[in-house]
Amino acid sequence: LVDLGEVDLLAVMVSVGQPTAIGAISSVNHFHGHDAVPLGSYKGPLGKDYPGLYVPDLIASFPGPIQNYSQVLDGFELYRKVLSEQPDGSVTIAAHGFLTNLQLLLTSPADEYSPLSGAGLFALKVKQVVMMGGAYPHSGTSPEWNFAGSPESTAYVLAHWPATVPVVFSGFELGVRVLTGSGLRTGLNCPSGNVSWNPCARALYDQDRTAPGLTHPSWDSVTSLYAVRGSLEQGWYTLVTDGHNTCLLYTSDAADEEDSVDLGGRRIIKKKKRVETRKELIYEKEIVIKLINVMRKKSVTNIEERI
């Protein structure tokens, strides 16, 4: 989409604290000739020891100029720098993964880039956010990874979202049903079936070694496509305003076992404050799917499966 001239890619951030994860992003950008795109990374403890199924391979096989987060700005700092340089109300953010960087941005004070607080800068510069997170109509006892992996970040961001910034949530149940990637590993787009020709093909192979050649769910891809092309892409979406949504705020100290669901060391508290929201539903015409999720007291956009 960048090469087609459909989007001006302002920056890319990693939302986990794995020091070399940013190296995989650099590998992909370098392969496609986009080394000039600024990179940033969350540098906290969350995900620090996560090995990554393809990160070491991409760095070794497709080395880019960046291989460690010590070479880039903190994600929230890069957010502040980039946002301060853009016209008001012009930036669309495609948020994949944990909300660590967005939490740190919203809580950041004035600095060398802007006299505004993070929340003020965000509200002034951001046009909309398209966020891969949650599951709809609800996640049940299996919380969606992006929201549950850093529950404190999720809770803070959703509860303190600037009222003037629209948000679209792309749910787990959407991307899991849209399968892509086979063209990178088979057929004309993959010469001789060689997965070594392209870092994205290599990453797909590393991610799914037990089933090489198969497709992969498109959680982030669908989110990015909507962020760039919006609801009018080839008539796939119809935007309808209706209904409401409820977000359970997360916490790490469960009141008791009966009122909580274990999230790998963290808990979601069912009795905590609920945040009621209005939702806008986006119905996809061609692939019967349901995009999206949950948010705070203001208007949000949600993508729901067409019945």
Side-chain angles (χ1 to χ4, degrees):
L1 295 177
V2 174
D3 289 341
L4 290 174
E6 295 188 35
V7 61
D8 180 10
L9 185 59
L10 300 176
V12 179
M13 292 84 157
V14 170
S15 62
V16 296
Q18 212 283 350
T20 59
I22 196 67
I25 304 298
S26 182
S27 293
V28 174
N29 283 2
H30 182 68
F31 181 84
H32 290 285
H34 296 297
D35 287 336
V37 175
L39 303 182
S41 178
Y42 167 75
K43 299 181 182 180
L46 183 66
K48 181 178 180 180
D49 298 321
Y50 179 65
L53 298 176
Y54 51 80
V55 170
D57 190 12
L58 293 196
I59 292 175
S61 302
F62 304 91
I66 304 298
Q67 300 190 3
N68 189 282
Y69 68 25
S70 62
Q71 298 172 264
V72 300
L73 292 174
D74 282 74
F76 81 92
E77 186 177 359
L78 183 57
Y79 261 130
R80 291 191 59 87
K81 181 178 186 298
V82 170
L83 289 176
S84 69
E85 297 168 347
Q86 304 309 311
D88 296 351
S90 67
V91 177
T92 293
I93 296 175
H96 311 143
F98 305 146
L99 302 185
T100 47
N101 289 320
L102 282 175
Q103 180 190 13
L104 292 172
L105 169 63
L106 291 176
T107 57
S108 64
D111 60 7
E112 62 187 288
Y113 303 115
S114 173
L116 298 176
S117 68
L121 183 63
F122 184 92
L124 181 65
K125 300 294 184 177
V126 177
K127 178 181 179 181
Q128 74 165 347
V129 176
V130 183
M131 184 182 298
M132 198 280 116
Y136 305 92
H138 57 77
S139 59
T141 58
S142 300
E144 187 273 322
W145 173 254
N146 287 352
F147 277 4
S150 179
E152 289 84 359
S153 296
T154 302
Y156 187 90
V157 169
L158 298 186
H160 295 85
W161 196 268
T164 57
V165 181
V167 59
V168 177
F169 294 94
S170 178
F172 174 90
E173 71 289 339
L174 169 66
V176 76
R177 300 173 65 182
V178 181
L179 303 178
T180 56
S182 62
L184 289 171
R185 295 191 282 186
T186 60
L188 296 177
N189 292 330
C190 187
S192 304
N194 179 12
V195 299
S196 299
W197 75 283
N198 179 296
C200 292
R202 188 67 159 265
L204 282 170
Y205 176 79
D206 290 341
Q207 184 80 18
D208 302 314
R209 285 183 182 274
T210 59
L214 298 182
T215 55
H216 194 275
S218 308
W219 297 293
D220 295 347
S221 302
V222 168
T223 303
S224 295
L225 181 63
Y226 182 86
V228 174
R229 293 184 174 176
S231 62
L232 300 180
E233 163 58 15
Q234 298 182 10
W236 290 349
Y237 306 104
T238 299
L239 188 63
V240 179
T241 301
D242 189 24
H244 72 279
N245 208 344
T246 299
C247 175
L248 293 176
L249 297 191
Y250 299 117
T251 183
S252 59
D253 54 340
D256 57 71
E257 289 299 321
E258 294 182 357
D259 295 322
S260 64
V261 177
D262 185 59
L263 297 177
R266 301 179 186 275
R267 302 178 189 278
I268 180 169
I269 305 303
K270 295 181 180 177
K271 289 184 178 179
K272 289 290 184 179
K273 178 181 178 183
R274 293 172 180 266
V275 181
E276 297 291 334
T277 68
R278 214 168 44 79
K279 68 178 179 181
E280 296 175 351
L281 305 181
I282 297 177
Y283 295 85
E284 171 152 355
K285 294 181 179 178
E286 301 210 296
I287 312 172
V288 180
I289 56 180
K290 184 165 48 174
L291 277 170
I292 287 170
N293 186 56
V294 128
M295 176 135 178
R296 68 201 196 298
K297 297 179 180 178
K298 304 300 179 181
S299 297
V300 300
T301 301
N302 199 2
I303 304 176
E304 191 73 87
E305 184 172 17
R306 185 179 64 171
I307 305 301

